[in-house]
Amino acid sequence: MAEKVLMKGNEALAEAAMRAGCRFFFGYPITPQTELAAYMSKRMPKVGGTFLQAESEIAAINMVYGAAAAGARVMTSSSSPGISLKGEGISYMAGADLPGVIINVQRGGPGLGGIQPSQADYWQATRALGHGDFRVVVYAPSTVQEMADYAFTAFDVADKYRTPVMILADGMLGQMMEPVVMPEPHGGSVEKPWATTGHKHQRAHNVVNSLYLTADELERLNVERYERYAAIERDEQRAETFLTEDADIVVVAFGASARVARSAVVEARAKGVKAGLVRPITLWPFPTDAIEAVVPTAKAFLDVEMNMGQMVDDVRLVVAGRRPVEFFGRTGGVIPTPVEVLARIEDLNARMTKGGE
Amino acid sequence: MARISVDDRFCKGCGLCVDACPEHIMELDNDKITAKGYHPAYCTDLGTCTGCASCATMCPDVAITVER
Amino acid sequence: MAEKELKTVFERPHALLPVVTNYCPGCTHGIINRLVAECLDELDVEGDAVGVAPVGCSVMAYDFFGCDMIEAAHGRAPAVATAVKRVHPDGVVFAYQGDGDLASIGMAETIHAATRGENITVIFINNAIYGMTGGQMAPTSLPNQVTQTSPYGRDTDAAGFPIRVCELLSSLDGVAYLERVTADCPKNVRKAKKAIKKAFQTQIDGAGYSLVEVVATCPTNWGMTPQDSFTWMRENMLPYYPLGVYKDVRAEGFANASEAAAARAADCPIANPAAQAEGGAR
């Protein structure tokens, strides 16, 4: 049994990525992902890997594109404004079916925003990381242990489906310290016969490309890619449920806000309110199955986020009007307190009980 | 003894070979139209060709093969 | 019979696939594509090569070259090539870029790949115009040059001045070899090939960043015949963009760009601790 060590979320994620076989990191300095790049710069040279501080976020993601095309396990990390810049390269990666891992340690926005933790990039991550028809698998860890675990998973899923994968963390998860058990280093590497490695006159030339000037061909490729996305939606949904079996009020929250929501749920139970929590771990694919499973027994949903209300759209899409779905959020870098969330749970419960009588 | 041949599938009739030929024996064939719609280049006098490859050196479409 | 003794002395290089290009008649891209392929053949590196195509008229170069190819986003070829070379340090990695791609949207990537001394080779086609999109003003369009987006001629008061890429890059320490060539006649095509081959050799020898700028034409968007385009290029572009070698650290006697950089920074203790140690304590 591996021993527990106390680590910052950003550092745990970096170490786990290297244990997953990532030997190439390209990034650009931005708060609050700083420790991640610093850890990579310290450790990569010791294991024969490459840490390169690029001239910009745009260059960094295009280096990720190049290294992925060349067949390597590769990663970049940034925070919200930097992820906007990476949108170009992420779209090209999706269009060229390149695997790679992108970390977003979110901060408040829009614009330069702030440097405090936020979840305001949910829409960006799940809807619009760049132009064109595409999806990116998005993991939302809520502990330092999960920062490590999903960094590990991200590389396997990226290679399996030939898609970019994002880990959507935030400044709180990135900078907090918790005990963590590091995943054991990865075994074998994945065959990538499509990679541009130099053909050695052994095969036809490989081309990594996202340009298709024939509309029918581009449509066909997009349709094929969406068939792969359908498989991801079927097989890769992940969520944690907590006290939902008999819950009247189901709180839905991810990442850092799920930590707060869990405390509020525990306190609500102590006060006799049947509250529960569904915590999406994959934001895309959204864990519709986990939400759907509690619709029959829940009286109402309370979606809690560190933004003005983004994931609540997805919750409402699943609940589809069958139950009330309310939203509570703090934004701009403000973290909601368990007391605030508990008040919303109690208020919603009171209204539901009254309505039911 | 030398010989050049122009592959009409590639020739776009730009005429750069015509200017490059030191023997002035390259011309565009105005009586011929390629599948792509160009008047292809041809050698008017193979007997004079020295095989210097100036035409091929300037050809942007690698349409010319030179034998010597 | 004499005919039987004929030997093929010029044919399509192996590294250039037998496909009809999208280039317009008389476009110099075709010549330069061929020269790059000839160099890959002659250096016997097609099997180790990875090319990075730009956005612009040569965007489809991934269909033309026989080596492995990557299509990059507009201007990002140096970043992509950087990463490929880091993953495959023994590979031969080149970016093929036009003036808008390299010197406008991709200038940051260009300068930083150069200053990092990435062991890559960049083939830069400068024809002073955006060809693919229909002839807009490029970062290298000449003062008073009429383009679609400088219809009254490039007004340097409003649009600024053209960028001389070789001159600009020549100040950077990571650069090992820079040469500006053209391809308007057989003699210059042969010189261009020599430069491209030398650039690849520079990379193969691990000496640092190499770039060959080819002053080129765009008959279609200049609105001239290929022949008149060469004349206009010789009269207007070559005085602004003089041909020649702009940097060659090995010709200066250094093994590579790093050695040349160290010599240049000999008086800077932090940059050059070895030289300081030799010179004694200060």
Side-chain angles (χ1 to χ4, degrees):
Chain A
M1 181 77 191
E3 70 176 305
K4 280 195 171 182
V5 287
L6 194 64
M7 286 182 96
K8 278 193 173 188
N10 281 334
E11 293 178 345
L13 197 160
E15 176 61 30
M18 289 169 63
R19 286 169 179 244
C22 174
R23 288 293 177 275
F24 294 89
F25 178 93
F26 303 97
Y28 185 85
I30 187 168
T31 306
Q33 64 81 54
T34 315
E35 299 84 2
L36 210 163
Y39 192 89
M40 287 293 194
S41 70
K42 201 160 53 181
R43 290 281 299 135
M44 275 296 191
K46 307 286 184 197
V47 296
T50 293
F51 166 89
L52 200 162
Q53 182 170 317
E55 58 271 30
S56 69
E57 303 284 8
I58 296 172
I61 192 68
N62 282 284
M63 289 171 185
V64 171
Y65 177 92
R73 281 201 155 175
V74 57
M75 182 173 121
T76 186
S77 68
S78 188
S79 180
S80 308
I83 298 295
S84 295
L85 287 171
K86 290 189 197 291
E88 173 192 89
I90 297 172
S91 172
Y92 276 72
M93 287 175 72
D97 295 315
L98 291 179
V101 175
I102 301 122
I103 315 298
N104 182 359
V105 184
Q106 294 170 95
R107 56 190 253 184
L112 204 45
I115 57 169
Q116 301 299 323
S118 166
Q119 296 180 327
D121 302 344
Y122 179 93
W123 278 338
Q124 183 195 47
T126 60
R127 300 288 194 281
L129 270 168
H131 63 280
D133 279 325
F134 75 96
R135 292 289 200 176
V136 167
V137 179
V138 183
Y139 290 103
S142 81
T143 61
V144 172
Q145 183 66 54
E146 284 191 347
M147 292 282 268
D149 292 344
Y150 288 107
F152 211 75
T153 307
F155 283 98
D156 289 339
V157 169
D159 280 343
K160 181 176 177 188
Y161 297 99
R162 286 184 65 182
T163 177
V165 174
M166 172 169 277
I167 294 179
L168 193 68
D170 60 64
M172 179 175 146
L173 291 164
Q175 301 192 323
M176 67 191 286
M177 292 185 90
E178 277 183 340
V180 55
V181 179
M182 271 296 144
E184 286 304 310
H186 211 279
S189 59
V190 182
E191 287 285 311
K192 296 180 179 176
W194 45 265
T196 51
T197 55
H199 57 51
K200 316 288 179 202
H201 300 282
Q202 303 292 312
R203 55 164 169 78
H205 77 153
N206 281 342
V207 175
V208 170
N209 173 42
S210 63
L211 176 69
Y212 298 93
L213 292 175
T214 312
D216 286 344
E217 194 184 4
L218 182 53
E219 183 188 52
R220 182 179 60 76
L221 286 165
N222 281 336
V223 168
E224 278 179 16
R225 195 168 296 120
Y226 269 70
E227 287 166 4
R228 224 176 323 141
Y229 293 161
I232 294 173
E233 286 185 296
R234 189 186 62 232
D235 298 336
E236 303 297 339
Q237 286 183 32
R238 291 196 195 206
E240 183 198 12
T241 52
F242 176 63
L243 304 179
T244 52
E245 295 79 7
D246 62 341
D248 294 329
I249 306 300
V250 173
V251 181
V252 186
F254 71 97
S257 56
R259 298 171 69 101
V260 178
R262 178 188 289 261
S263 301
V265 163
V266 170
E267 285 172 38
R269 285 274 173 178
K271 291 181 138 191
V273 177
K274 287 186 183 172
L277 174 71
V278 175
R279 178 173 72 89
I281 296 171
T282 52
L283 303 183
W284 193 84
F286 190 70
T288 52
D289 298 350
I291 303 280
E292 185 64 44
V294 299
V295 169
T297 49
K299 286 183 178 160
F301 289 83
L302 177 66
D303 175 274
V304 177
E305 302 177 59
M306 282 147 55
N307 57 43
M308 292 299 288
Q310 300 191 10
M311 183 177 71
V312 65
D313 287 0
D314 283 333
V315 178
R316 286 186 175 131
L317 278 170
V318 180
V319 176
R322 289 172 289 175
R323 301 287 182 273
V325 178
E326 299 199 352
F327 169 75
F328 173 68
R330 298 296 303 268
T331 189
V334 180
I335 299 168
T337 64
V339 173
E340 287 175 318
V341 177
L342 175 63
R344 295 306 192 286
I345 293 172
E346 287 184 307
D347 173 56
L348 183 55
N349 185 58
R351 283 184 284 127
M352 287 303 114
T353 311
K354 202 162 61 177
E357 278 165 0
Chain B
M1 181 71 196
R3 183 168 65 198
I4 70 113
S5 56
V6 178
D7 189 333
D8 288 355
R9 289 173 304 162
F10 292 99
C11 178
K12 291 175 184 163
C14 70
L16 290 185
C17 56
V18 176
D19 303 319
C21 178
E23 303 297 330
H24 309 291
I25 51 169
M26 291 299 290
E27 273 183 23
L28 298 185
D29 188 345
N30 288 320
D31 296 329
K32 203 166 160 188
I33 297 178
T34 69
K36 294 262 180 195
Y38 300 116
H39 295 307
Y42 74 109
C43 180
T44 57
D45 182 9
L46 275 176
T48 315
C49 179
T50 64
C52 72
S54 290
C55 54
T57 302
M58 289 308 294
C59 178
D61 295 289
V62 208
I64 301 174
T65 303
V66 184
E67 294 163 287
R68 194 164 58 206
Chain C
M1 251 207 48
E3 287 238 349
K4 280 187 181 159
E5 291 161 23
L6 284 179
K7 264 178 31 190
T8 300
V9 295
F10 193 107
E11 62 183 336
R12 176 176 291 272
H14 185 271
L16 194 68
L17 299 173
V19 293
V20 177
T21 67
N22 60 289
Y23 305 131
C24 301
C27 173
T28 27
H29 267 306
I31 299 175
I32 309 306
N33 280 194
R34 189 192 76 229
L35 297 184
V36 170
E38 286 175 356
C39 292
L40 295 177
D41 278 11
E42 289 169 24
L43 295 165
D44 193 21
V45 293
E46 183 196 331
D48 303 316
V50 179
V52 184
V55 172
C57 289
S58 46
V59 66
M60 310 285 286
Y62 55 78
D63 279 341
F64 308 152
F65 289 112
C67 59
D68 279 0
M69 292 294 296
I70 301 172
E71 168 51 33
H74 199 19
R76 316 301 175 218
V80 174
T82 290
V84 175
K85 185 72 179 185
R86 296 297 182 109
V87 175
H88 300 295
D90 297 331
V92 174
V93 182
F94 68 96
Y96 187 103
Q97 302 178 262
D99 41 50
D101 192 87
L102 180 141
S104 190
I105 194 167
M107 189 51 118
E109 285 77 3
T110 292
I111 285 187
H112 284 272
T115 201
R116 284 193 303 267
E118 296 294 342
N119 241 316
I120 59 172
T121 298
V122 178
I123 310 299
F124 168 40
I125 311 300
N126 175 8
N127 63 0
I129 206 155
Y130 283 80
M132 183 61 113
T133 44
Q136 293 81 19
M137 185 182 76
T140 53
S141 291
L142 296 174
N144 304 314
Q145 185 182 338
V146 172
T147 71
Q148 193 189 71
T149 49
S150 58
Y152 310 111
R154 181 176 187 150
D155 174 2
T156 53
D157 286 342
F161 293 92
I163 295 172
R164 293 180 178 92
V165 169
C166 279
E167 288 86 334
L168 182 73
L169 296 182
S170 65
S171 73
L172 300 176
D173 283 347
V175 176
Y177 174 62
L178 290 172
E179 183 166 355
R180 184 182 286 132
V181 298
T182 188
D184 63 333
C185 62
K187 178 171 159 246
N188 281 337
V189 170
R190 284 190 285 271
K191 281 175 84 169
K193 179 176 171 183
K194 211 173 142 195
I196 292 170
K197 199 167 175 179
K198 188 168 173 180
F200 275 116
Q201 192 63 53
T202 300
Q203 177 186 169
I204 291 164
D205 295 343
Y209 176 93
S210 53
L211 177 144
V212 176
E213 172 176 348
V214 185
V215 181
T217 60
C218 182
T220 299
N221 288 298
W222 289 3
M224 301 174 197
T225 64
Q227 292 74 13
D228 289 347
S229 296
F230 278 140
T231 304
W232 190 89
M233 183 201 81
R234 283 189 285 262
E235 286 176 359
N236 295 288
M237 288 188 73
L238 295 188
Y240 210 94
Y241 301 113
L243 304 181
V245 176
Y246 283 82
K247 191 167 187 186
D248 185 353
V249 294
R250 299 205 288 179
E252 293 167 35
F254 300 105
N256 51 45
S258 296
E259 269 194 15
R264 192 179 176 189
D267 292 335
C268 175
I270 188 164
N272 214 355
Q276 295 303 311
E278 285 163 24
R282 290 193 180 185

